[in-house]
Amino acid sequence: MPTRRTARALAAVSTVLALVAVPLHADASGTVGAAVRVNKSIPTPKDYFGFAMGTTGRLAGFDSIKRYLRLVADRSDRVNFQVADTTTMGNEYPVLFVSSPKNLRNLNQIVRDNQRLADPRGIGEEEARRLAARSKPVYLIEGTLHSTEVGNTQALMDIVHRFATETSDYTSRVLDNAVLLVIPSGNPDGQHLVVDHFNKTAGTAYNRVYPDLYHRYVGHDNNRDWFMFTQRETRTRARLEQTYRPVAGHYMHQAGTGGPRLWAPPYDEPLGTGVDPITLQSAITQGSQAVRALTAEGRKGVGTDDAYGIFWNADVMGYSTFLGTSLFLTEIASARDLAYPYTSTDGKPLGPQNTTIRMPQPYDKATWTLEQIVAYAKTAAYAGIKYVADNPESWLFNNLYQVARNGTNLTDVVPGTPYAYVVPAGQRDPYAVLEMLRLFEFGKVEIDQATAAFTANGKRYPAGSYVLRTRQPLGRWVDQLLKIDEYPEKAARKCADCPLIMPYSETTDNVALLLGVDVEPVKEAFTAPLQRVRQVVPQQVRMPAPPRGAYLVAPDSYGVAHVLARLQKANVPVFRAGEEFDAAGREFAPGTVVVPPSDAARRVLQEVAASTGIPVYATDAVPKVDGFRLKPGTRVGLVRGANNMPGGWMMWLLDQYGVNYRVVGADDYADLRGRYDTIVLADGVSKDTIVKGLDPAKNPPQFAWARGVGEDGWKALAGFVSGGGNLVAIGGASETARQLLDLPIDNAAPSDQATFSVPGALLRASYKPDVPAAWGMPKSWPVWFNRDAAYRVRGEAQVASAYPEDGDLLASGYAKGSEALGGLANVATFDVGKGHATVAASEITFRSWPRATWPLVVNSIYHGPSEPTRYDRVALPATD
């Protein structure tokens, strides 16, 4: 990386710590030298904030934390404070570099050396060892990605103060041998929301814990975004990791009140092939160092193993793991109401009480405090940092150079790995291809494109096909996200007769199946005329000449959602064909978007086509086709309830596609028909969500929108539908819709987990593209299923999607007994009085991942309020 380029990267992405406050305790692991001097020009967190970090009932707010960290950086030559980015809500995303003055002056060179180590091609082992000896490892430490886990950010204040002010054998060795990249909060918006709420509600009758999502969209799911990169904060941290290449990442979390007081690696089963053993063993060793230090200090209740099987899927194992970063996770038990002592109800000691190798010293008290959270957090952090600082060359050589070298030789290192994955040209959904390739582009994967046809595995691929080779530094990540997952049933058991261990998260993350892209693995090496893709761009779309009859957009892409929303926003009439028809020399499927020609229509279609790669056609003849005219400005309401993550993801999806929606508030139930045409029930919305909601007596007025609306509101929602409204219910909310409207369906999915278990997998499903809800869907494509319902339909319905009756339905991941779903419906539409209701039994919007099934939602949103007509009978507007 050239010097100027590095300087720009440092200015744009640079890191500093600016979040919360944490107490400072000397650790008992022998790291503090006998002679300790402290720079007294920098106030301690206690002096600055007016209370020690970890004080019961006291939390430092994020604004004051940033001011403190800026002050520390201004007065210490060991600390640089910078703002890496702004957040979803427009707050600063601060980061800190903490190291010796010499290392901070040489940070550009350290970045260049570490990035060179991370690409071993053209560099031999001798040169790599020379670079490792010259450079310094970067150690990333992050607090409060989950914003209610407040103790860790408070602890980071003490940690930063110690390294900024103390001169001891320990701090000198750390500062000389490593660079700390401190992220005070992985979710600054949440710190503002949660801690400010806590401080504002002090002395009131209101609950102290923030009652809603502590990230605008994804709440606690913000560490489930490490392969789709949907959120701004996710991308910010990933860019930091790409730039500074940390050898270790200490991600500081908190857990429930009943488990170990602190949990550290080793992790639990299962283990996927995407994990380089070096990063895994590094994490286990760091965990051992932390446990050793805590035990030496007499801190009891520290456990390992039997939890957090996160090394199967990329969503929780994290993108940084594939860069060579050791994933050092700590989970500390939480306090009551964030910052108050938690005491067991029976007076017995907290946490597991069996003395085992996994926990040799059970916790022996009935009370647990914020002060202890902060103390345990600091001890674990100091131990993890020490281990890297004591072995800097080893960490740089192994975690950067060796891990990347293993990637470039992946087919040798992991026999059976495909040589490459081919994305054939000419796919049904060019927008899905674009989004998938942009995901890999953001992840720094090398992408090639064929300049001419070629043959691989005995199959001919056309020019324009993309090739993602696995023999590259991030080859493991490519394979992780494109392979068909086969769960290791034998390996994921502690013994032959032991129960099967499920991963901490889901069982598949196959992005091609999630997005709707055909991808083919090629086992053996092949030659092809390839050129490197320097920038992923949409396929070029040539707009047709302005027609006399209509513009036409086929329904095959989930990007058609952009077309519909943008046309509605521009007040352009939109018609959707209800049957097949011929025009412009080709056949168009049901659901085709038919748009009367106008200058406004052309502008919108041209812009959407250019940004998505979706083709636009035109015909001079007026199509004589039956169909439906969308209601102009279709008004969409979203019922999500407070702190409902699926509802947050739904907001993100609706915002991404520009849908005209509002969150339905309690006051809206007095006139639902006057405000909305379609109401969407997000997964997780139950009758209690609507009827009971949040208690106004326990929550400030700003959350009145989520209060319960009682039985009258419940009846009003049913009346909205029967009176002509449109309801769309997703996932668990399908049962709510069944209850609300007495729909003629029964959940027939087996409830016995001993015979039926599908914990987050992709199952084969069939679709009827002539049914409006399934317009544009292929006849067969996998659907997301995670302990969801599946329906036997008793009455009249339009079944848009069902499960095939030909045996095992598993497409990727793990499923037991899936054949029991054969013949059951997943997506169905019902007439209810004058209105309509569509239910999707599985959560087809899960974390926004299964974009291939997004048309089912979009179709249902817009179709319900539409009016049947024939296109040639629609009054065409004059060309503007």
Side-chain angles (χ1 to χ4, degrees):
M1 181 183 275
T3 303
R4 288 183 182 177
R5 187 175 168 193
T6 303
R8 288 197 299 269
L10 289 170
V13 190
S14 35
T15 38
V16 245
L17 178 66
L19 194 56
V20 211
V22 190
L24 174 63
H25 297 284
D27 57 300
S29 56
T31 56
V32 179
V36 177
R37 297 190 303 278
V38 176
N39 179 351
K40 294 185 178 180
S41 69
I42 299 174
T44 66
K46 180 180 180 180
D47 289 338
Y48 184 85
F49 295 107
F51 55 90
M53 300 297 94
T55 299
T56 291
R58 304 297 300 273
L59 294 174
F62 199 61
D63 281 332
S64 60
I65 281 170
K66 288 188 293 183
R67 288 192 293 270
Y68 177 68
L69 294 174
R70 281 191 170 96
L71 181 150
V72 172
D74 287 343
R75 297 186 183 182
S76 173
D77 57 3
R78 305 175 185 179
V79 179
N80 283 344
F81 177 98
Q82 296 185 25
V83 175
D85 198 0
T86 54
T87 63
T88 300
M89 294 173 62
N91 290 305
E92 293 178 333
Y93 189 110
V95 292
L96 297 173
F97 286 120
V98 182
S99 192
S100 69
K102 179 181 178 182
N103 288 340
L104 294 181
R105 288 194 300 271
N106 293 335
L107 190 55
N108 284 8
Q109 184 64 53
I110 291 170
V111 169
R112 285 195 296 270
D113 288 346
N114 291 356
Q115 291 195 342
R116 187 68 190 94
L117 281 166
D119 188 349
R121 293 166 296 190
I123 171 176
E125 183 172 322
E126 183 178 346
E127 172 67 6
R129 292 194 181 279
R130 185 187 70 80
L131 287 173
R134 182 176 77 182
S135 191
K136 306 295 179 185
V138 173
Y139 188 100
L140 187 153
I141 183 167
E142 175 191 75
T144 55
L145 183 65
H146 296 148
S147 299
T148 53
E149 299 167 13
V150 294
N152 291 305
T153 294
Q154 306 291 300
L156 280 170
M157 297 306 98
D158 283 344
I159 293 171
V160 170
H161 177 264
R162 179 180 184 182
F163 286 116
T165 63
E166 181 182 292
T167 300
S168 65
D169 293 342
Y170 170 68
T171 56
S172 295
R173 185 168 184 81
V174 167
L175 296 171
D176 288 343
N177 289 355
V179 177
L180 305 184
L181 169 54
V182 185
I183 302 176
S185 174
N187 178 19
D189 290 346
Q191 275 295 288
H192 283 289
L193 295 172
V194 169
V195 178
D196 289 354
H197 177 86
F198 177 86
N199 289 330
K200 289 176 182 177
T201 55
T204 72
Y206 295 137
N207 291 337
R208 305 299 302 280
V209 179
Y210 187 74
D212 201 8
L213 294 173
Y214 50 69
H215 180 280
R216 172 174 172 77
Y217 294 119
V218 301
H220 202 80
D221 270 354
N222 57 1
N223 69 331
R224 304 297 194 274
D225 192 36
W226 295 118
F227 72 99
M228 291 294 257
F229 302 122
T230 65
Q231 302 305 305
R232 183 163 186 149
E233 295 79 5
T234 310
R235 288 177 166 255
T236 299
R237 200 232 271 173
R239 290 189 188 100
L240 291 170
E241 293 164 337
Q242 290 168 343
T243 300
Y244 298 107
R245 306 305 295 242
V247 298
H250 182 182
Y251 306 110
M252 307 169 77
H253 286 263
Q254 287 176 228
T257 56
R261 299 302 89 190
L262 180 144
W263 181 92
Y267 298 91
D268 204 355
E269 304 293 347
L271 178 62
T273 57
V275 184
D276 191 293
I278 292 173
T279 61
L280 177 61
Q281 293 293 352
S282 298
I284 291 172
T285 306
Q286 279 188 285
S288 298
Q289 294 295 318
V291 171
R292 178 178 179 273
L294 289 158
T295 302
E297 291 186 5
R299 303 195 187 280
K300 299 179 180 180
V302 177
T304 62
D305 200 5
D306 283 355
Y308 303 103
I310 65 174
F311 279 96
W312 175 254
N313 271 7
D315 63 327
V316 287
M317 98 171 59
Y319 169 70
S320 61
T321 295
F322 297 90
L323 298 176
T325 304
S326 163
L327 178 54
F328 173 33
L329 178 71
T330 52
E331 294 276 355
I332 304 176
S334 294
R336 176 178 61 84
D337 289 342
L338 304 182
Y340 292 90
Y342 178 83
T343 302
S344 63
T345 56
D346 56 8
K348 294 181 179 179
L350 295 166
Q353 292 301 301
N354 291 330
T355 300
T356 64
I357 289 177
R358 296 181 296 278
M359 184 183 289
Q361 287 185 305
Y363 188 65
D364 55 3
K365 293 180 175 57
T367 297
W368 178 249
T369 68
L370 179 63
E371 182 181 18
Q372 290 172 293
I373 293 171
V374 168
Y376 276 59
K378 290 191 297 185
T379 297
Y382 293 143
I385 293 168
K386 179 181 185 298
Y387 185 59
V388 172
D390 284 347
N391 305 277
E393 294 179 28
S394 171
W395 279 88
L396 285 167
F397 180 82
N398 290 313
N399 285 61
L400 296 188
Y401 176 76
Q402 188 65 26
V403 167
R405 188 166 67 172
N406 288 344
T408 60
N409 300 311
L410 186 59
T411 55
D412 298 327
V413 175
V414 185
T417 303
Y419 171 77
Y421 289 90
V422 177
V423 183
Q427 304 241 349
R428 63 183 300 275
D429 189 349
Y431 185 56
V433 175
L434 174 69
E435 290 216 308
M436 188 184 81
L437 292 178
R438 279 182 169 169
L439 184 157
F440 283 113
E441 178 184 43
F442 179 80
K444 304 297 184 184
V445 166
E446 296 167 352
I447 304 168
D448 295 312
Q449 188 173 27
T451 58
F454 66 95
T455 299
N457 259 16
K459 180 173 180 178
R460 192 75 169 166
Y461 292 99
S465 298
Y466 293 96
V467 176
L468 289 84
R469 285 184 273 212
T470 59
R471 293 177 68 95
Q472 58 173 298
L474 278 158
R476 284 183 184 270
W477 196 55
V478 172
D479 187 53
Q480 174 74 34
L481 296 186
L482 292 179
K483 68 184 177 185
I484 299 297
D485 288 300
E486 299 177 5
Y487 200 70
E489 291 199 48
K490 291 184 179 180
R493 300 177 189 269
K494 297 292 173 94
C495 66
D497 298 326
C498 292
L500 180 65
I501 301 170
M502 286 288 100
Y504 184 71
S505 189
E506 292 66 47
T507 64
T508 187
D509 48 19
N510 186 298
V511 296
L513 294 180
L514 289 167
L515 297 181
V517 181
D518 288 313
V519 174
E520 299 179 12
V522 178
K523 290 291 184 183
E524 304 299 327
F526 60 89
T527 57
L530 303 175
Q531 65 180 9
R532 182 60 42 83
V533 175
R534 299 303 174 188
Q535 182 180 9
V536 174
V537 296
Q539 74 171 13
Q540 290 187 343
V541 175
R542 184 175 180 179
M543 282 291 292
R548 291 188 296 273
Y551 290 106
L552 306 170
V553 180
D556 301 329
S557 172
Y558 64 78
V560 167
H562 286 297
V563 176
L564 299 176
R566 292 282 298 279
L567 288 170
Q568 285 230 322
K569 186 175 181 180
N571 294 317
V572 173
V574 181
F575 177 92
R576 298 198 76 176
E579 58 188 0
E580 289 184 359
F581 67 100
D582 293 326
R586 58 166 289 166
E587 187 177 87
F588 287 89
T592 294
V593 181
V594 187
V595 184
S598 67
D599 291 344
R602 185 174 184 83
R603 282 194 298 271
V604 170
L605 292 173
Q606 192 163 17
E607 291 170 1
V608 175
S611 62
T612 64
I614 297 174
V616 176
Y617 304 93
T619 177
D620 286 330
V622 176
K624 296 180 179 180
V625 58
D626 287 330
F628 302 84
R629 179 171 178 167
L630 269 58
K631 182 173 182 179
T634 302
R635 303 164 302 167
V636 180
L638 172 64
V639 178
R640 69 173 182 88
N643 202 28
N644 177 282
M645 285 186 287
W649 282 109
M650 180 59 74
M651 288 196 300
W652 184 83
L653 282 164
L654 296 173
D655 280 341
Q656 291 302 301
Y657 292 94
V659 175
N660 174 29
Y661 84 100
R662 287 171 38 198
V663 172
V664 177
D667 292 336
D668 294 343
Y669 284 78
D671 183 22
L672 292 172
R673 286 295 308 280
R675 291 178 170 88
Y676 305 109
D677 303 307
T678 292
I679 290 178
V680 178
L681 303 184
D683 177 65
V685 170
S686 65
K687 181 177 181 179
D688 279 353
T689 306
I690 297 168
V691 173
K692 296 182 179 179
L694 289 181
D695 184 349
K698 296 181 179 179
N699 295 280
Q702 72 197 76
F703 301 104
W705 66 271
R707 71 182 186 275
V709 295
E711 290 292 338
D712 288 343
W714 177 254
K715 293 175 183 177
L717 182 58
F720 162 81
V721 182
S722 62
N726 183 44
L727 187 76
V728 180
I730 299 168
S734 62
E735 279 291 278
T736 306
R738 180 194 61 77
Q739 181 183 9
L740 174 75
L741 304 172
D742 193 25
L743 298 177
I745 52 177
D746 299 307
N747 179 14
S751 58
D752 182 7
Q753 291 191 12
T755 60
F756 176 79
S757 177
V758 188
L762 286 162
L763 301 183
R764 292 187 297 113
S766 59
Y767 304 89
K768 295 181 179 179
D770 58 338
V771 172
W775 280 340
M777 293 297 296
K779 290 186 177 180
S780 178
W781 196 265
V783 69
W784 186 260
F785 193 99
N786 188 358
R787 302 179 178 92
D788 293 312
Y791 289 117
R792 183 173 292 112
V793 179
R794 291 183 278 103
E796 292 187 7
Q798 287 186 309
V799 176
S801 177
Y803 297 101
E805 296 188 76
D806 56 353
D808 186 7
L809 301 180
L810 180 64
S812 186
Y814 173 81
K816 179 170 67 174
S818 63
E819 61 274 7
L821 300 178
L824 298 180
N826 184 27
V827 180
T829 300
F830 304 85
D831 292 331
V832 181
K834 298 178 181 179
H836 311 280
T838 299
V839 297
S842 71
E843 192 185 349
I844 56 176
T845 55
F846 181 76
R847 295 179 186 157
S848 83
W849 295 356
R851 312 268 172 88
T853 50
W854 179 234
L856 296 164
V857 180
V858 174
N859 293 338
S860 301
I861 285 174
Y862 287 115
H863 181 69
S866 66
E867 295 183 2
T869 185
R870 207 168 86 167
Y871 180 73
D872 56 330
R873 295 173 183 166
V874 175
L876 303 182
T879 302
D880 53 15

Short mmCIF file of all heavy atoms in Angstrom, two decimals, residues 638 646 650 653 679-685 727-737 788 838-846 854 856-858 860-861:
data_model
loop_
_atom_site.label_atom_id
_atom_site.label_comp_id
_atom_site.label_asym_id
_atom_site.label_seq_id
_atom_site.Cartn_x
_atom_site.Cartn_y
_atom_site.Cartn_z
N LEU A 638 -46.70 -1.42 9.12
CA LEU A 638 -45.94 -2.54 9.67
C LEU A 638 -46.22 -2.65 11.16
O LEU A 638 -45.94 -1.73 11.92
CB LEU A 638 -44.44 -2.34 9.45
CG LEU A 638 -43.52 -3.35 10.13
CD1 LEU A 638 -43.74 -4.76 9.58
CD2 LEU A 638 -42.05 -2.94 9.99
N PRO A 646 -37.29 -9.35 14.11
CA PRO A 646 -37.79 -9.55 12.75
C PRO A 646 -38.49 -8.31 12.20
O PRO A 646 -38.40 -8.02 11.01
CB PRO A 646 -38.76 -10.72 12.92
CG PRO A 646 -38.24 -11.48 14.10
CD PRO A 646 -37.73 -10.42 15.02
N MET A 650 -37.52 -6.18 8.92
CA MET A 650 -38.53 -5.83 7.92
C MET A 650 -38.46 -4.33 7.61
O MET A 650 -38.61 -3.92 6.45
CB MET A 650 -39.92 -6.22 8.42
CG MET A 650 -41.04 -5.89 7.44
SD MET A 650 -40.84 -6.69 5.82
CE MET A 650 -41.28 -8.36 6.27
N LEU A 653 -35.62 -3.88 5.20
CA LEU A 653 -35.97 -4.31 3.85
C LEU A 653 -36.89 -3.29 3.17
O LEU A 653 -36.67 -2.91 2.01
CB LEU A 653 -36.66 -5.68 3.90
CG LEU A 653 -35.74 -6.89 4.08
CD1 LEU A 653 -36.53 -8.11 4.50
CD2 LEU A 653 -34.96 -7.16 2.79
N ILE A 679 -51.45 -4.06 5.69
CA ILE A 679 -50.76 -4.13 6.98
C ILE A 679 -49.96 -5.42 7.02
O ILE A 679 -50.47 -6.50 6.71
CB ILE A 679 -51.75 -4.07 8.16
CG1 ILE A 679 -52.35 -2.66 8.25
CG2 ILE A 679 -51.07 -4.44 9.47
CD1 ILE A 679 -53.38 -2.50 9.35
N VAL A 680 -48.70 -5.29 7.38
CA VAL A 680 -47.79 -6.43 7.48
C VAL A 680 -47.57 -6.76 8.94
O VAL A 680 -47.25 -5.87 9.74
CB VAL A 680 -46.44 -6.12 6.80
CG1 VAL A 680 -45.49 -7.31 6.94
CG2 VAL A 680 -46.64 -5.76 5.33
N LEU A 681 -47.74 -8.02 9.30
CA LEU A 681 -47.40 -8.50 10.64
C LEU A 681 -46.04 -9.17 10.57
O LEU A 681 -45.87 -10.19 9.90
CB LEU A 681 -48.44 -9.50 11.15
CG LEU A 681 -49.91 -9.08 11.23
CD1 LEU A 681 -50.74 -10.20 11.86
CD2 LEU A 681 -50.05 -7.81 12.04
N ALA A 682 -45.06 -8.59 11.25
CA ALA A 682 -43.72 -9.17 11.25
C ALA A 682 -43.69 -10.45 12.07
O ALA A 682 -44.48 -10.64 13.00
CB ALA A 682 -42.71 -8.17 11.80
N ASP A 683 -42.76 -11.33 11.74
CA ASP A 683 -42.56 -12.54 12.54
C ASP A 683 -42.39 -12.16 14.00
O ASP A 683 -41.73 -11.17 14.34
CB ASP A 683 -41.31 -13.28 12.05
CG ASP A 683 -41.00 -14.49 12.89
OD1 ASP A 683 -41.79 -15.44 12.90
OD2 ASP A 683 -39.94 -14.47 13.57
N GLY A 684 -42.99 -12.93 14.89
CA GLY A 684 -42.89 -12.66 16.31
C GLY A 684 -44.03 -11.82 16.87
O GLY A 684 -44.16 -11.70 18.09
N VAL A 685 -44.84 -11.25 16.00
CA VAL A 685 -45.99 -10.47 16.47
C VAL A 685 -47.10 -11.44 16.87
O VAL A 685 -47.60 -12.22 16.04
CB VAL A 685 -46.48 -9.50 15.39
CG1 VAL A 685 -47.81 -8.87 15.79
CG2 VAL A 685 -45.44 -8.41 15.15
N LEU A 727 -53.93 -7.98 4.52
CA LEU A 727 -53.04 -8.36 5.61
C LEU A 727 -52.00 -9.33 5.08
O LEU A 727 -52.33 -10.28 4.35
CB LEU A 727 -53.82 -9.01 6.75
CG LEU A 727 -53.03 -9.30 8.03
CD1 LEU A 727 -52.79 -8.01 8.81
CD2 LEU A 727 -53.76 -10.32 8.90
N VAL A 728 -50.73 -9.11 5.46
CA VAL A 728 -49.64 -10.03 5.11
C VAL A 728 -48.95 -10.41 6.41
O VAL A 728 -48.46 -9.54 7.14
CB VAL A 728 -48.63 -9.36 4.15
CG1 VAL A 728 -47.52 -10.33 3.80
CG2 VAL A 728 -49.33 -8.87 2.89
N ALA A 729 -48.93 -11.71 6.72
CA ALA A 729 -48.36 -12.19 7.99
C ALA A 729 -47.21 -13.13 7.69
O ALA A 729 -47.33 -14.05 6.87
CB ALA A 729 -49.43 -12.90 8.82
N ILE A 730 -46.10 -12.93 8.37
CA ILE A 730 -44.87 -13.66 8.07
C ILE A 730 -44.40 -14.46 9.27
O ILE A 730 -44.41 -13.98 10.41
CB ILE A 730 -43.77 -12.67 7.63
CG1 ILE A 730 -44.22 -11.93 6.37
CG2 ILE A 730 -42.45 -13.38 7.39
CD1 ILE A 730 -43.37 -10.76 6.01
N GLY A 731 -43.95 -15.69 9.00
CA GLY A 731 -43.38 -16.54 10.04
C GLY A 731 -44.38 -16.81 11.16
O GLY A 731 -45.53 -17.20 10.92
N GLY A 732 -43.95 -16.61 12.39
CA GLY A 732 -44.80 -16.87 13.54
C GLY A 732 -46.07 -16.04 13.54
O GLY A 732 -47.08 -16.44 14.14
N ALA A 733 -46.06 -14.90 12.87
CA ALA A 733 -47.26 -14.06 12.80
C ALA A 733 -48.35 -14.70 11.96
O ALA A 733 -49.50 -14.26 11.99
CB ALA A 733 -46.92 -12.68 12.26
N SER A 734 -48.01 -15.75 11.19
CA SER A 734 -49.05 -16.44 10.43
C SER A 734 -50.05 -17.09 11.38
O SER A 734 -51.26 -17.13 11.09
CB SER A 734 -48.43 -17.49 9.51
OG SER A 734 -47.75 -18.49 10.25
N GLU A 735 -49.56 -17.58 12.53
CA GLU A 735 -50.47 -18.14 13.53
C GLU A 735 -51.33 -17.04 14.15
O GLU A 735 -52.49 -17.26 14.50
CB GLU A 735 -49.67 -18.85 14.61
CG GLU A 735 -49.23 -20.26 14.23
CD GLU A 735 -50.42 -21.21 14.13
OE1 GLU A 735 -50.87 -21.73 15.17
OE2 GLU A 735 -50.89 -21.43 13.00
N THR A 736 -50.78 -15.85 14.28
CA THR A 736 -51.55 -14.71 14.78
C THR A 736 -52.66 -14.36 13.81
O THR A 736 -53.81 -14.10 14.21
CB THR A 736 -50.62 -13.50 15.00
OG1 THR A 736 -49.53 -13.88 15.84
CG2 THR A 736 -51.37 -12.35 15.64
N ALA A 737 -52.34 -14.38 12.50
CA ALA A 737 -53.36 -14.10 11.49
C ALA A 737 -54.44 -15.19 11.49
O ALA A 737 -55.63 -14.89 11.31
CB ALA A 737 -52.71 -13.99 10.12
N ASP A 788 -40.46 -23.51 12.06
CA ASP A 788 -41.65 -22.75 11.67
C ASP A 788 -42.87 -23.66 11.54
O ASP A 788 -42.79 -24.88 11.70
CB ASP A 788 -41.38 -22.03 10.34
CG ASP A 788 -40.33 -20.94 10.47
OD1 ASP A 788 -40.44 -20.14 11.41
OD2 ASP A 788 -39.41 -20.89 9.63
N THR A 838 -52.69 -12.88 3.32
CA THR A 838 -51.66 -13.81 2.85
C THR A 838 -50.78 -14.18 4.03
O THR A 838 -50.31 -13.30 4.76
CB THR A 838 -50.80 -13.19 1.74
OG1 THR A 838 -51.64 -12.86 0.63
CG2 THR A 838 -49.72 -14.17 1.28
N VAL A 839 -50.58 -15.48 4.22
CA VAL A 839 -49.72 -15.95 5.29
C VAL A 839 -48.52 -16.68 4.69
O VAL A 839 -48.66 -17.42 3.72
CB VAL A 839 -50.46 -16.88 6.28
CG1 VAL A 839 -51.58 -16.13 6.98
CG2 VAL A 839 -50.99 -18.12 5.59
N ALA A 840 -47.35 -16.43 5.26
CA ALA A 840 -46.13 -17.18 4.94
C ALA A 840 -45.71 -17.86 6.23
O ALA A 840 -45.27 -17.20 7.18
CB ALA A 840 -45.04 -16.25 4.43
N ALA A 841 -45.88 -19.17 6.29
CA ALA A 841 -45.65 -19.89 7.55
C ALA A 841 -44.19 -19.85 7.97
O ALA A 841 -43.89 -19.75 9.16
CB ALA A 841 -46.13 -21.33 7.41
N SER A 842 -43.26 -19.95 7.03
CA SER A 842 -41.85 -19.84 7.39
C SER A 842 -41.42 -18.38 7.32
O SER A 842 -42.05 -17.57 6.63
CB SER A 842 -40.98 -20.69 6.45
OG SER A 842 -40.93 -20.11 5.17
N GLU A 843 -40.37 -18.06 8.05
CA GLU A 843 -39.93 -16.66 8.09
C GLU A 843 -39.11 -16.37 6.83
O GLU A 843 -37.88 -16.38 6.85
CB GLU A 843 -39.11 -16.37 9.34
CG GLU A 843 -38.90 -14.88 9.55
CD GLU A 843 -38.00 -14.56 10.73
OE1 GLU A 843 -37.69 -15.47 11.53
OE2 GLU A 843 -37.59 -13.39 10.85
N ILE A 844 -39.80 -16.06 5.76
CA ILE A 844 -39.15 -15.87 4.47
C ILE A 844 -38.38 -14.56 4.39
O ILE A 844 -37.74 -14.28 3.36
CB ILE A 844 -40.17 -15.95 3.32
CG1 ILE A 844 -41.30 -14.93 3.54
CG2 ILE A 844 -40.75 -17.36 3.22
CD1 ILE A 844 -42.31 -14.89 2.40
N THR A 845 -38.40 -13.77 5.45
CA THR A 845 -37.61 -12.53 5.50
C THR A 845 -36.51 -12.62 6.55
O THR A 845 -35.94 -11.59 6.93
CB THR A 845 -38.52 -11.34 5.84
OG1 THR A 845 -39.22 -11.62 7.07
CG2 THR A 845 -39.54 -11.09 4.74
N PHE A 846 -36.15 -13.80 6.99
CA PHE A 846 -35.22 -13.99 8.10
C PHE A 846 -33.93 -13.18 7.91
O PHE A 846 -33.13 -13.44 7.02
CB PHE A 846 -34.89 -15.48 8.22
CG PHE A 846 -33.96 -15.82 9.35
CD1 PHE A 846 -34.41 -15.86 10.66
CD2 PHE A 846 -32.62 -16.12 9.10
CE1 PHE A 846 -33.55 -16.19 11.69
CE2 PHE A 846 -31.77 -16.45 10.13
CZ PHE A 846 -32.23 -16.48 11.43
N TRP A 854 -38.16 -12.82 -1.43
CA TRP A 854 -38.68 -11.47 -1.17
C TRP A 854 -39.86 -11.13 -2.08
O TRP A 854 -40.81 -10.44 -1.67
CB TRP A 854 -37.56 -10.46 -1.30
CG TRP A 854 -37.92 -9.02 -1.10
CD1 TRP A 854 -37.68 -7.99 -1.97
CD2 TRP A 854 -38.55 -8.40 0.03
NE1 TRP A 854 -38.11 -6.79 -1.46
CE2 TRP A 854 -38.66 -7.02 -0.23
CE3 TRP A 854 -39.04 -8.88 1.24
CZ2 TRP A 854 -39.23 -6.12 0.67
CZ3 TRP A 854 -39.62 -8.00 2.13
CH2 TRP A 854 -39.71 -6.63 1.85
N LEU A 856 -42.36 -12.85 -2.78
CA LEU A 856 -43.60 -13.31 -2.14
C LEU A 856 -44.19 -12.23 -1.25
O LEU A 856 -45.41 -12.06 -1.19
CB LEU A 856 -43.31 -14.57 -1.32
CG LEU A 856 -42.86 -15.82 -2.10
CD1 LEU A 856 -42.25 -16.83 -1.14
CD2 LEU A 856 -44.02 -16.42 -2.86
N VAL A 857 -43.33 -11.50 -0.57
CA VAL A 857 -43.79 -10.43 0.32
C VAL A 857 -44.23 -9.22 -0.50
O VAL A 857 -45.32 -8.66 -0.28
CB VAL A 857 -42.68 -10.03 1.31
CG1 VAL A 857 -43.16 -8.91 2.24
CG2 VAL A 857 -42.23 -11.23 2.13
N VAL A 858 -43.40 -8.80 -1.44
CA VAL A 858 -43.70 -7.61 -2.23
C VAL A 858 -44.98 -7.81 -3.04
O VAL A 858 -45.85 -6.92 -3.10
CB VAL A 858 -42.51 -7.27 -3.15
CG1 VAL A 858 -42.86 -6.12 -4.08
CG2 VAL A 858 -41.29 -6.92 -2.30
N SER A 860 -47.47 -9.72 -2.38
CA SER A 860 -48.63 -9.73 -1.48
C SER A 860 -48.97 -8.34 -0.98
O SER A 860 -50.14 -7.99 -0.79
CB SER A 860 -48.36 -10.67 -0.30
OG SER A 860 -48.11 -11.98 -0.76
N ILE A 861 -47.94 -7.53 -0.73
CA ILE A 861 -48.17 -6.16 -0.27
C ILE A 861 -48.96 -5.35 -1.29
O ILE A 861 -49.95 -4.67 -0.97
CB ILE A 861 -46.83 -5.46 0.06
CG1 ILE A 861 -46.25 -5.99 1.38
CG2 ILE A 861 -47.00 -3.94 0.11
CD1 ILE A 861 -44.87 -5.46 1.69
#
